[in-house]
Amino acid sequence: MNSYLLNHFAQQLDDLKQQGNLRQFSTNVQQSRFIRINEREMLNLASNDYLGLASNLQLREQFFDETPIAQRTMSSSSSRLLTGNFPEFEQLEASLSQAFAGRSALLFNSGYHMNIGILPALADTKTLILADKLVHASMIDGMRLSTAKFLRYRHNDLLHLEQLLSKHHDSNDIERIIVVTESIFSMDGDETDLAALVQLKQQFSKVMLYVDEAHAIGVRGERGLGCAEQYDVIEQIDLLVGTFGKALASVGGYLICYPILRDYLINTMRPLIFSTAQPPICMAWTNFIFQRVMSLKQPRADLMTLSQSLQQGVRAKGFECPSSSHIVPVIIGDSAKTVAKAQVLQEAGFYIMPVRPPTVPKQSARLRISLTAQIQPAELDQLLQLV
Ligand SMILES: *Cc1c(COP(=O)(O)O)cnc(C)c1O
């Protein structure tokens, strides 16, 4: 390749570096609630392993003990529509279905595949998508890949959503409206009022509700089925999605929906049709974890207690903190100050990542603290003294 061609990309990387926005991998070694990076051992406050299940060695041992080699199938070798539909997929879907009030369940290779696949499959030019301003990049990519018109409503502003619904609902060009949101948001750690959202939806006949529970599955509700369970709206959310990659200590995405939509997606959703399905052993592991997660009330309660005490501590220090969950931002504002603070905290043994614009709005750079049930209250006290 001509070096001129490479120079273009080298220049772009230089620009990123100049702006302090260059992204790089760093190798890490994790053990229980600690993480080691560049020889420094730190308390891991950037983990999505909210219940500590991914780092639990006993669980792993138990899983392999009860799964003979013959059943440890490491590749599905094909899409589920060809020869990839191993019994493990149907077992996991049956478990989900049973847990979620008998509704249909469909699995995906990841939450990202799920969100970039479902929206383009369901939404056509007669569809309007209305999405919360802060939804995850995967849903934004899904909207962009679709042929639908889409608009964003102000973050968590159901009045704004209602105005948009009133304005567009009776338009002749629009046959369906899909309202897209998360339950717990990944950067602010705040929540959608799902009960109010469901009530609003019920006033508009063309609306389908799409809720991503990536940060709530495993963590919220009596059985850990998410905010939808907590607020008793499992059956009112038309498309209830989430990931197995966070609290569920595995990999993959799931959808809870109507049987007709499941059949429709199997026929139309490109990431489902044209990609090799997950290894069956991953499905078996997800099912193993899912069965246990439902009874993990104590870790869920511990995580809630830790979260509330950190939110209060951060506010007591004078910081703005919108969180009502285990994701607790400390909003500092200035990017350089935020990066410097994260550096100081890491040197003191707390692995916390700074998040800057454009990932978050201008002048809202923050430390993003993500708690797991294994963190000790005393460790948070130490942290709060340094924040
Ligand atoms: C992490 C995340 C995803 C992506 O899920 P993966 O399984 O990691 O691909 C989707 N939506 C939200 C809201 C997320 O936080």
Side-chain angles (χ1 to χ4, degrees):
M1 187 158 72
N2 189 317
S3 68
Y4 166 81
L5 291 174
L6 273 183
N7 280 344
H8 165 76
F9 301 103
Q11 183 62 50
Q12 308 273 321
L13 283 172
D14 274 350
D15 290 350
L16 283 175
K17 198 166 181 181
Q18 291 291 326
Q19 296 151 16
N21 287 334
L22 186 69
R23 296 173 198 246
Q24 279 171 303
F25 292 135
S26 58
T27 314
N28 69 72
V29 180
Q30 298 184 38
Q31 199 187 15
S32 149
R33 62 191 192 281
F34 299 100
I35 185 165
R36 176 181 288 275
I37 299 174
N38 297 332
E39 305 295 305
R40 185 186 291 141
E41 172 128 316
M42 295 169 280
L43 186 66
N44 190 353
L45 293 167
S47 173
N48 296 328
D49 183 19
Y50 303 132
L51 298 174
L53 304 180
S55 63
N56 185 320
L57 297 185
Q58 284 86 25
L59 275 178
R60 227 181 282 175
E61 203 171 296
Q62 198 188 339
F63 172 71
F64 283 109
D65 281 352
E66 62 183 57
T67 311
I69 298 278
Q71 280 172 34
R72 297 183 199 176
T73 315
M74 308 305 286
S75 173
S76 66
S77 309
S78 159
S79 157
R80 282 181 76 187
L81 284 156
L82 299 173
T83 58
N85 193 34
F86 287 73
E88 286 86 343
F89 290 88
E90 301 199 335
Q91 284 154 9
L92 177 55
E93 285 177 345
S95 298
L96 288 166
S97 203
Q98 193 180 24
F100 285 91
R103 301 193 66 194
S104 285
L106 184 59
L107 303 171
F108 311 100
N109 285 356
S110 74
Y112 185 80
H113 275 85
M114 159 189 97
N115 283 333
I116 64 160
I118 296 174
L119 289 170
L122 295 183
D124 59 12
T125 53
K126 299 238 170 205
T127 306
L128 171 67
I129 301 176
L130 296 176
D132 186 285
K133 187 79 177 91
L134 293 190
V135 293
H136 190 261
S138 53
M139 283 171 269
I140 295 174
D141 292 354
M143 294 192 278
R144 288 195 180 136
L145 283 170
S146 79
T147 55
K149 299 174 266 298
F150 65 88
L151 295 169
R152 317 284 295 276
Y153 58 93
R154 285 190 295 273
H155 175 52
N156 253 338
D157 187 340
L158 296 188
L159 272 176
H160 189 207
L161 174 61
E162 185 173 3
Q163 284 163 9
L164 291 172
L165 285 170
S166 300
K167 182 168 169 198
H168 297 283
H169 191 265
D170 297 327
S171 154
N172 289 330
D173 303 340
I174 291 168
E175 290 179 0
R176 285 163 294 280
I177 300 178
I178 306 180
V179 171
V180 176
T181 188
E182 289 172 36
S183 55
I184 296 176
F185 283 84
S186 68
M187 287 301 147
D188 286 4
D190 59 351
E191 300 172 39
T192 301
D193 183 342
L194 286 185
L197 184 61
V198 161
Q199 278 201 339
L200 180 59
K201 169 205 115 141
Q202 285 166 345
Q203 296 166 29
F204 294 91
S205 59
K206 293 179 182 172
V207 174
M208 304 200 275
L209 198 50
Y210 186 110
V211 178
D212 187 338
E213 294 247 55
H215 298 285
I217 183 71
V219 168
R220 290 296 184 89
E222 273 294 293
R223 290 173 299 152
L225 301 178
C227 294
E229 182 194 12
Q230 186 182 353
Y231 300 109
D232 198 18
V233 290
I234 285 177
E235 289 170 273
Q236 282 76 46
I237 296 172
D238 305 295
L239 299 135
L240 183 59
V241 300
T243 177
F244 298 122
K246 291 174 175 139
L248 275 93
S250 186
V251 61
Y254 65 87
L255 164 68
I256 306 298
C257 65
Y258 304 98
I260 289 177
L261 293 186
R262 180 177 188 274
D263 290 346
Y264 185 79
L265 289 170
I266 292 170
N267 283 275
T268 54
M269 181 173 153
R270 298 174 67 86
L272 182 73
I273 300 171
F274 296 110
S275 182
T276 300
Q278 277 202 21
I281 193 169
C282 293
M283 299 288 99
W285 167 250
T286 305
N287 203 7
F288 174 91
I289 293 286
F290 182 68
Q291 298 300 336
R292 279 157 186 77
V293 156
M294 290 192 274
S295 60
L296 295 182
K297 286 189 192 162
Q298 194 57 49
R300 272 193 283 280
D302 292 346
L303 185 59
M304 181 75 92
T305 308
L306 282 169
S307 307
Q308 286 167 350
S309 100
L310 184 62
Q311 292 154 20
Q312 282 158 15
V314 167
R315 286 185 198 116
K317 287 246 156 183
F319 292 99
E320 190 195 330
C321 177
S323 170
S324 58
S325 72
H326 55 291
I327 298 169
V328 183
V330 180
I331 302 179
I332 294 178
D334 181 70
S335 291
K337 273 191 196 151
T338 307
V339 172
K341 191 76 184 184
Q343 185 65 32
V344 168
L345 293 172
Q346 290 181 16
E347 279 163 17
F350 299 99
Y351 189 61
I352 295 175
M353 306 276 278
V355 185
R356 287 162 290 173
T359 307
V360 292
K362 280 189 196 122
Q363 280 306 313
S364 76
R366 64 198 61 190
L367 303 168
R368 180 179 182 274
I369 303 172
S370 143
L371 295 172
T372 67
Q374 302 154 293
I375 307 278
Q376 306 292 309
E379 292 166 337
L380 290 186
D381 294 341
Q382 286 167 13
L383 168 67
L384 277 166
Q385 288 177 7
L386 299 172
V387 166

